[in-house]
Amino acid sequence: MNLPSFLWLWRIAAWSMGLSLLAYLLLAITGGWLLYGRSNSEPRPAWLRPLHYTIGGTLVALVLLLLAIGLVGTVGHYGSLGHSAHLPIGLAVVGLTLVSAWSSTQISPSRPWARSLHLSINLTLLFGFIAVSLTGWSVVQKYLP
């Protein structure tokens, strides 16, 4: 691709990453609230679970947007992929996000493994977000004038 500037694309990516981290934080808070209520046999507000699912869906959309931006921007700028560790780490974060979303739909009393899988994946996703943020920062420095 021969586009005049990819700076606008990186701005969208920066906002998407910031919103992804915010969504992850909100998911940790609402998920912790759900877990606390469940552990202490307290009733949960009717709006809490739908809010958790909505934020989770938003996170999936943002991560997929970041994937698309990264692929288009990198191919457009370099003509190919794989110029740093950001690609495999980013793909891992996308995969973890999708598996986390899938596992959330499996949580039920008849599938006790799903909740622990969901929580484990989300903890792993925290480290993935840290790694993708660090590698992403070094990638962005290559594109800045």
Side-chain angles (χ1 to χ4, degrees), residues 87-113:
L87 177 65
I89 293 170
L91 291 174
V93 167
V94 171
L96 286 168
T97 303
L98 294 174
V99 173
S100 176
W102 170 80
S103 68
S104 73
T105 66
Q106 302 303 304
I107 296 173
S108 75
S110 63
R111 293 186 216 95
W113 55 266

Side-chain angles (χ1 to χ4, degrees), residues 5-84:
S5 170
F6 283 98
L7 196 55
W8 60 272
L9 197 61
W10 304 130
R11 286 185 181 137
I12 295 170
W15 275 98
S16 297
M17 188 62 194
L19 291 172
S20 294
L21 295 173
L22 176 62
Y24 183 86
L25 175 65
L26 293 173
L27 285 167
I29 291 168
T30 58
W33 191 352
L34 287 166
L35 185 61
Y36 176 81
R38 182 174 183 75
S39 300
N40 295 316
S41 300
E42 293 183 12
R44 71 171 179 248
W47 53 266
L48 185 56
R49 189 170 182 215
L51 176 65
H52 189 72
Y53 267 54
T54 301
I55 297 168
T58 302
L59 178 62
V60 169
L62 287 166
V63 167
L64 292 175
L65 175 63
L66 283 163
L67 174 64
I69 289 170
L71 294 175
V72 168
T74 303
V75 170
H77 189 76
Y78 287 111
S80 63
L81 296 172
H83 299 276
S84 73

